[in-house]
Amino acid sequence: MSTNRAVAYRGPGVVEVIDTAYPEFELKDGPGVHPANVGRQVRHGAILRTVATNICGSDQHMVRGRTTAPQGLVLGHEITGEVVEVGPDVEFIRVGDIVSVPFNIACGRCRNCKEGKTGICLNVNPDRPGGAYGYVDMGGWVGGQAEYVLVPYADRNLLRFPDADQAMEKILDLAMLSDIFPTGFHGVVTAAVGPGSTVYIAGAGPVGLAAAVGAQLLGAAAVILGELNEARLAQARSFGCETIDVTQGDPKDQIEQILGVPEVDAGVDAVGFEARGHGSEASHEAPATVLNSLMDITAAGGALGIPGLYVTGNPGGVDEAAKVGSLSLRLGLGWAKSLSFTTGQCPVMKYNRQLMTAILHDEVHIAKAVNATPVSLEEAPQGYAVFDQGAARNYVLNPNGYIKTA
């Protein structure tokens, strides 16, 4: 029997690399696993030897203790891997395939999956629509910041790269297909970005940077990122974006200096529920700031894409309302301006094949844009700590040595 090592949440501010069970084609009891899923047979699944698995900003919310994640939860939902075993019901995926794993788990059989709404599958999480690996309230599917991971519904969920050797040459770019690239792209698509658009993206972390790359791919005329971290703003400027330091005041005034008008065609929230204020309030958490600012900045008739995470349980919320995900929004302003809003998980499979093709044909270099930085599995705790301090990097764990580093 093979062994397995994985990254686990141990409590606020603490992650640890642990010995854990090698995956089986049956769900076992464990931290975060829904009791109704224990014993569930996964004959349709595949076991992957992990090629790359990213540390995500969404993981940081859990590690900071800002969710109801249980201690011992194995983390990781951004997975790329090599298939080493397949269940008896798998028909098309083969041992040896190099594949990308959408972070949202989709059965492919329910009404939502058949309508392309794979982020809210009805059959993978007994508590609510939508499942994911290694994440709080997402059904308890074991995370992929590990040497090996089980993926259910393999024929449906896995995106096979057409040429393994070519894939390994571009593996840092392709590793972004499991979440941040499609998620950022979904943000700008739902904000209706197109040729000649002007777009403001709040947040220059990995998803905000990925959204900026997506906006450029869609032909935006001006892509502006707002952030309070200068290193991340510099990263955005490195591939042609305009930037705004929100510690200097209202983004609206700075947008006017860039565009000549104080508004944009499209707005994207890549920050989420741990947003801070602007200007003199930038040191204080104010979770409705970004959404209210976007409603003010976005032109009448425009749209907001909201890939930033919002939760229903936030123990560290600034007030009792925030602790249950209730925010004081200027909905009247949004209504008066006829703004459209799109929230929720990105349906990764809606975009990942097309984005893969763009990568393989050198139309986009997402790893460079987000400053993808490979580290070993044992270095994960340090990667979490440095990323949490605002590093302008996207840490990619390399559990099995597939990624060759200088």
Side-chain angles (χ1 to χ4, degrees), residues 134-160:
Y135 210 83
V136 61
D137 295 333
M138 287 294 180
W141 299 87
V142 177
Q145 289 177 10
E147 293 173 327
Y148 296 91
V149 63
L150 171 69
V151 175
Y153 304 104
D155 284 327
R156 171 66 174 172
N157 284 294
L158 296 179
L159 174 66
R160 176 170 44 202

Side-chain angles (χ1 to χ4, degrees), residues 31-119:
V33 179
H34 194 286
N37 268 348
V38 175
R40 186 170 179 170
Q41 299 298 305
V42 192
R43 296 166 56 88
H44 44 67
I47 295 171
L48 308 187
R49 189 169 188 249
T50 305
V51 171
T53 176
N54 307 340
I55 296 176
C56 178
S58 297
D59 297 323
Q60 291 285 16
H61 294 304
M62 290 188 290
V63 172
R64 292 185 191 118
R66 297 300 300 271
T67 73
T68 56
Q71 294 188 19
L73 181 72
V74 173
L75 301 168
H77 57 272
E78 300 194 20
I79 308 162
T80 308
E82 180 181 4
V83 177
V84 293
E85 294 185 52
V86 295
D89 290 348
V90 175
E91 187 173 359
F92 302 111
I93 292 294
R94 299 282 184 265
V95 170
D97 288 343
I98 306 295
V99 295
S100 178
V101 184
F103 78 90
N104 22 51
I105 302 169
C107 73
R109 306 167 185 181
C110 71
R111 172 180 175 175
N112 285 348
C113 283
K114 288 179 179 179
E115 293 176 355
K117 303 171 184 174
T118 55

